[in-house]
């Protein structure tokens, strides 16, 4: 299994624009817990989520989310 780590700046861009998690959730239709979990790195955001956040903030996806290239992918045998 290949494990990828996504680095995100969702909290940074959200707080810079003075938008609360609850407001972001209401505006995008996501549960506030999902927003919190993504910001904390507790879950990997879906492609749909990343595109929606990009559209919401009006910035390229790469300004919010990036692949962590400092960690090597791990493949595990069965």
């Amino acid at each position: 299994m290949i494990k990828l780590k996504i680095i995100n700046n969702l909290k940074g861009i959200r707080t810079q624009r003075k938008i609360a998690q609850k407001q972001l959730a209401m505006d995008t239709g996501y549960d506030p817990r999902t927003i919190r979990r993504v910001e904390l790195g507790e879950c990997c955001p879906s492609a749909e989520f990343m595109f929606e956040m990009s559209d919401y903030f009006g910035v390229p996806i790469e300004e919010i989310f990036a692949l962590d290239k400092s960690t090597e992918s791990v493949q595990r045998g069965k």
Side-chain angles (χ1 to χ4, degrees):
M1 178 178 175
I2 297 175
K3 235 177 141 119
L4 301 175
K5 180 167 173 142
I6 303 287
I7 299 172
N8 79 72
N9 185 35
L10 182 58
K11 183 176 182 178
I13 196 167
R14 179 182 59 74
T15 57
Q16 180 182 41
R17 295 180 186 207
K18 296 180 170 65
I19 299 170
Q21 281 182 346
K22 188 175 183 178
Q23 184 63 50
L24 178 59
M26 286 175 32
D27 291 347
T28 60
Y30 283 96
D31 189 298
R33 292 173 291 194
T34 300
I35 305 292
R36 182 185 60 79
R37 290 183 68 221
V38 170
E39 287 184 353
L40 293 174
E42 293 178 356
C43 68
C44 186
S46 68
E48 178 184 2
F49 182 91
M50 291 189 277
F51 277 104
E52 288 192 29
M53 293 301 122
S54 172
D55 287 344
Y56 180 82
F57 289 109
V59 298
I61 289 174
E62 296 84 7
E63 285 191 31
I64 307 172
F65 302 99
L67 184 61
D68 183 356
K69 295 180 180 176
S70 68
T71 59
E72 292 187 29
S73 298
V74 177
Q75 290 191 10
R76 299 178 190 233
K78 293 180 182 180

